[in-house]
Every structure is written in C-alpha cells, then in structure tokens.
C-alpha cells in the first residue's frame, strides 16, 4: 500500500480500487535490490521536485521510488503499449491512497523518438536497467539529456543470458554517449553486477 488512509477499511479500499478500474494483483514485499538502494540514495541526495522515468515497464522499480520519495511528480515513459494499463492503474491507485502526494503521469512513447517535453523540463531523469535494451542507445541518451538536468542510470556490468539485452555498456562508452549528448560530466558508482551513474547535464 502506498500511503496511509486511516479512515478507510481494507474492504472500502478494495471497493474504491475496483470502482476506479483497478484489478487485484498479487505482490510480495522483498528487500530492495542493492542497485535500487543505491539509486534511491542518489535521488535523495539530488532532491528533485520532478522526475522523468524512462522505460518504466510494469512499474516495479518505479513503485519502490514512489514509496521512498512520495513527494515527487513523475512522468513515466514506456514504449510497450501492453504495459501502459499497468502504469495507468498505478497512477489511479496513487490518487486514491495519496491524494496530496506527487502526481504520476504516463506516456506511451519510444525514447528514441522526440520526447514530448521541453529542454531541461525535469530535475532528474532515470534510465534504470533500460539502456542495454535499446538498439540505438545514443539517440535515446540524446533525448534524455535534452529534457533532464541530471540523469541517474544503471546497467548490467557483466554478461548475462537475457535475450532482451542488446548491449553490455561499459563506463567508458556510457561516458562517451552522455558527453556526446551534451552532459558536462559523468560519475559512477558500482554495486554487485551493475554499474550505476549520474550524468550531470546542467551545472
């Protein structure tokens, strides 16, 4: 449950969710992965007011960010149309349980096309376990850098058997791509099996 609604019973919350078009889902609460913990630590330090999340998927990683940073206004971008209903259901649910918290907006957009946002519109962008899936990574990085003042990203640092991974990005090629896109500098941290970094676009 994201938020606290002291005057509502579980039964009332379920009825409200169903009336809003939500479907019952089975979730299990687990400890955050080390890379997620590191990203949330970075986001806390950056203290953004708004955030652009590229490749939100089903919203699993996004939900962890929302739980830790509930004040954020977030624009979730996902190119897979089949996943959009999940994200929209999450946004509707947030309105019920966190009516005074940040807003989650959902966009069915491919990051390698022109994103529907203005230059520097977002304090921070996140691309978490996404860049390795994108064939034309440079084009996506160009767009993220155009609309975000800083970008927090994570990628696998070791080969794996995920058929959706078309690249194994190194810190060197990530630095090259972000600097080519216009970032001023790129800094890195690491967690087991992953590279995590921040591209500093605006001073």
């Amino acid at each position: 449950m994201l938020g606290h609604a002291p005057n509502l019973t579980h039964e009332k919350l379920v009825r409200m969710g169903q009336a809003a078009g939500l479907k019952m889902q089975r979730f299990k609460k687990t400890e955050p992965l080390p890379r997620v913990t590191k990203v949330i630590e970075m986001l806390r330090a950056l203290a953004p007011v708004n955030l652009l999340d590229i490749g939100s998927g089903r919203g699993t990683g996004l939900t962890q960010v929302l739980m830790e940073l509930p004040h954020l206004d977030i624009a979730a971008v996902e190119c897979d149309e089949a996943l959009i209903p999940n994200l929209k259901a999450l946004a509707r649910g947030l309105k019920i349980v966190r009516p005074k918290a940040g807003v989650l907006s959902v966009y069915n957009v491919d990051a390698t096309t022109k994103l529907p946002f203005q230059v520097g519109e977002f304090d921070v962008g996140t691309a978490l376990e996404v860049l390795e899936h994108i064939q034309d990574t440079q084009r996506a990085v160009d767009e993220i850098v155009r609309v975000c003042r800083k970008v927090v990203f994570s990628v696998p640092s070791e080969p794996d058997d995920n058929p959706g991974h078309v690249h194994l990005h190194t810190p060197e090629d990530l630095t090259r791509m972000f600097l080519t896109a216009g970032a001023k500098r790129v800094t890195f941290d690491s967690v087991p099996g992953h590279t995590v970094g921040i591209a500093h676009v605006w001073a």
Side-chain angles (χ1 to χ4, degrees):
M1 179 66 66
L2 298 176
H4 181 58
N7 298 321
L8 295 175
T9 64
H10 292 296
E11 291 77 12
K12 286 181 180 177
L13 282 170
V14 169
R15 287 198 298 272
M16 288 172 69
Q18 289 172 334
L22 305 183
K23 294 182 180 178
M24 296 291 289
Q25 302 287 339
R26 185 182 299 275
F27 289 98
K28 62 178 182 179
K29 187 172 183 180
T30 59
E31 289 300 311
L33 297 170
R35 60 181 166 78
V36 175
T37 299
K38 176 60 68 176
V39 164
I40 290 171
E41 176 186 308
M42 289 175 165
L43 291 175
R44 286 190 188 282
L46 294 172
V49 172
N50 63 3
L51 182 144
L52 172 66
D53 184 54
I54 297 292
S56 299
R58 294 187 302 274
T60 305
L62 185 60
T63 299
Q64 291 175 310
V65 172
L66 286 162
M67 290 175 68
E68 297 297 328
L69 301 165
H71 66 283
L72 273 179
D73 287 334
I74 299 181
V77 167
E78 174 54 51
C79 66
D80 186 345
E81 190 173 357
L83 299 178
I84 295 300
N86 297 54
L87 294 171
K88 288 186 174 179
L90 176 60
R92 290 195 301 271
L94 289 172
K95 286 181 181 179
I96 294 172
V97 300
R98 310 186 324 169
K100 296 182 180 178
V103 174
L104 175 62
S105 305
V106 179
Y107 299 84
N108 183 199
V109 182
D110 185 335
T112 62
T113 62
K114 187 174 177 65
L115 294 171
F117 309 113
Q118 301 300 312
V119 172
E121 184 169 337
F122 296 93
D123 292 338
V124 175
T126 50
L128 309 177
E129 306 304 297
V130 170
L131 298 177
E132 68 274 14
H133 292 268
I134 300 174
Q135 195 71 46
D136 191 348
T137 312
Q138 182 66 63
R139 188 164 182 175
V141 168
D142 290 346
E143 273 300 286
I144 299 167
V145 165
R146 181 180 68 81
V147 301
C148 299
R149 297 180 179 92
K150 290 181 174 65
V151 183
V152 176
F153 57 87
S154 67
V155 296
S157 60
E158 302 169 355
D160 58 37
D161 58 0
N162 187 325
H165 291 178
V166 296
H167 303 288
L168 180 61
H169 290 300
T170 64
E172 292 75 20
D173 65 54
L174 288 163
T175 298
R176 173 184 51 77
M177 285 189 290
F178 277 103
L179 293 180
T180 297
K184 303 296 187 293
R185 62 190 174 96
V186 185
T187 57
F188 291 93
D189 209 325
S190 62
V191 295
H194 291 81
T195 298
V196 182
I198 304 177
H200 303 263
V201 181
W202 291 25

